[in-house]
Amino acid sequence: MKFVDEATIYVEGGTGGNGCISFRREKFVPRGGPDGGDGGDGGSVYLIGERGLQTLYDLRLKPHYKAGRGMHGKGKGMDGRSGEDRFIPVPLGIEVYKEEKFIGEILEHNQTMLVARGGKGGRGNRHFVTSTNQTPRIAEEGKPGEKCKLKIILKLISQIGIVGFPNAGKSTLLQTMTNARPEIADYPFTTLTPNLGVLKDNFKNIVIADMPGIIEGAHTGKGLGTKFLRHIERTRMLILLIDISSNDPMNQYHILLNEFKKYNPKILKKPRIVVFNKIDLLEKIPEFHLKERTFYVSALKNEGIDKLTEALKNEDLYKDR
Ligand SMILES: Nc1nc2c(ncn2[C@@H]2O[C@H](COP(=O)(O)OP(=O)(O)OP(=O)(O)O)[C@@H](O)[C@H]2O)c(=O)[nH]1
Ligand SMILES: [Mg+2]
């Protein structure tokens, strides 16, 4: 399925039913009182979290949603039925903006969010009896439902994000550590949208996201830019993956940190580790002394991976997300 992480949709609550103007008619009661029923309320539109969904692709294909209208009131005091509510399934991890204003997020399965309230039904004429008017010929019309444009942004929910330069081996590392089978190739920008994989631990699943490559100037739009970095805003921890066989591994390290700082300095507050990859290509492995914990691996040859996954399993990846 296509990975789509942004969509605009149009939602509209159902119109309320009209109130009814009617009078009792019985054989021996020539001038009965008013008995017009109320219109039913229009249905409302809700978003509902669905854990099986991974993208906003369906919303892109189908951007318009309307709830059912309320039925009109009828004579003999019969109120109209309310319109049916509409539930739009959305993946977990979305943020919702109404006319550019943040209105909430959906993180749990079956969590609902009201996004367009249905219109109230109109009252029937029996509500309009007064001491001077016993036969009111007025009733209210149903109100229109709320109507608005919503912007929906998906931020993946993963505990760990793998970030690094193009071709560093991010997708290979994800493949080695998890059940994911991402595309891997010997050219930059193979990964165009994030891949998710699950690292199984005894009691929990750790979701790892493999991100598209970042290059110097990404925050100004170079390469694929930083548009995918939003997906690591929620991760608990980052793996900075660096190709140790490249010309200047430490330069990559500094560039990555600088791009994060420019995009959103909060990312720098997340716990992170640095993983040097492709050690199989070097005769002698240099050691780097960084303030982060460092690991030396070959994602391709599965060297040093056990030590890395053990360390990840021992991290507390579930607090403060
Ligand atoms: N020798 C060696 N090659 C590796 C290793 N890990 C990955 N590669 C190779 O490096 C190339 C890039 O690997 P990918 O996993 O696609 O790299 P990526 O970081 O996901 O790249 P982008 O998605 O383009 O950003 C592929 O040819 C891999 O086979 C490693 O540990 N050793
Ligand atoms: Mg990749």
Side-chain angles (χ1 to χ4, degrees), residues 166-172 185-186 188-191 277-278 280 298-300:
N167 235 18
K170 299 178 295 297
S171 302
T172 310
D186 191 16
F189 301 116
T190 306
T191 303
N277 188 29
K278 308 197 186 182
D280 58 295
S298 167
L300 188 70

Side-chain angles (χ1 to χ4, degrees), residues 109-177:
H109 186 58
N110 281 337
Q111 181 189 339
T112 57
M113 183 193 297
L114 174 65
V115 287
R117 199 181 291 279
K120 284 255 17 103
R123 288 176 300 167
N125 68 338
R126 60 194 162 137
H127 294 279
F128 296 92
V129 177
T130 61
S131 54
T132 53
N133 186 358
Q134 295 291 315
T135 54
R137 297 194 167 276
I138 45 169
E140 284 171 342
E141 286 192 353
K143 298 267 185 309
E146 197 185 340
K147 196 171 170 177
C148 62
K149 178 171 150 186
L150 298 177
K151 187 159 168 196
I152 299 191
I153 293 181
L154 173 62
K155 293 184 178 178
L156 298 179
I157 300 182
S158 60
Q159 282 80 46
I160 299 176
I162 308 177
V163 290
F165 269 43
N167 235 18
K170 299 178 295 297
S171 302
T172 310
L173 182 66
L174 183 78
Q175 160 153 318
T176 311
M177 291 198 300

